[in-house]
């Protein structure tokens, strides 16, 4: 793949369509989902032998929340990441158990 084609493909991926999903309307309420998107890319040496050329990019997206439009007002509703919440709870429990165990030994 040529570098120009890769750059145009990257531009197509990093668009508002990746961040904002299609609006969904039901019973007079419109919901527009949104995601947090992170990405990056790099390129190889274009002056070297053709076998040494290279380029690439990557994208990471996760739900961030949604805009809810109702009766002419917009409200942001954040997404709840249960995996992150569970991990934070587990780390907190382990830390508290260690502190209590250390105090009990004294």
């Amino acid at each position: 793949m040529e570098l120009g084609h890769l750059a145009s493909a990257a531009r197509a991926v990093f668009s508002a369509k990746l961040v904002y999903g299609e609006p969904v309307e039901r019973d007079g309420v419109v919901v527009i989902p949104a995601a947090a998107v992170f990405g990056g890319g790099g390129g190889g040496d274009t002056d070297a032998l053709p076998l040494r050329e290279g380029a690439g990019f990557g994208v990471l997206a996760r739900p961030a929340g949604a805009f809810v439009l109702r009766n002419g007002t917009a409200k942001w509703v954040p997404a709840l990441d249960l995996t992150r919440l569970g991990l934070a709870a587990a780390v907190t429990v382990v830390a508290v158990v260690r502190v209590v165990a250390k105090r009990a030994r004294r």
Side-chain angles (χ1 to χ4, degrees):
M1 177 180 267
E2 291 182 16
L3 225 42
H5 287 82
L6 186 63
S8 64
R11 267 187 248 116
V13 168
F14 294 113
S15 69
K17 289 181 182 180
L18 188 61
V19 176
Y20 299 104
E22 292 294 321
V24 177
E25 183 179 355
R26 190 164 294 154
D27 298 329
V29 177
V30 178
V31 177
I32 304 171
V37 180
F38 307 93
D45 187 1
T46 58
D47 293 331
L49 296 173
L51 295 176
R52 293 186 179 182
E53 290 182 356
F57 67 93
V59 178
L60 171 67
R62 63 177 186 81
F67 288 101
V68 178
L69 308 171
R70 180 182 295 149
N71 299 327
T73 61
K75 179 181 177 185
W76 173 252
V77 180
L80 180 60
D81 188 348
L82 294 178
T83 303
R84 215 177 230 183
L85 186 62
L87 181 61
V91 168
T92 303
V93 168
V94 169
V96 168
V97 167
R98 285 187 176 182
V99 168
V100 170
K102 188 181 269 189
R103 288 186 180 178
R105 280 188 246 144
R106 290 182 186 173

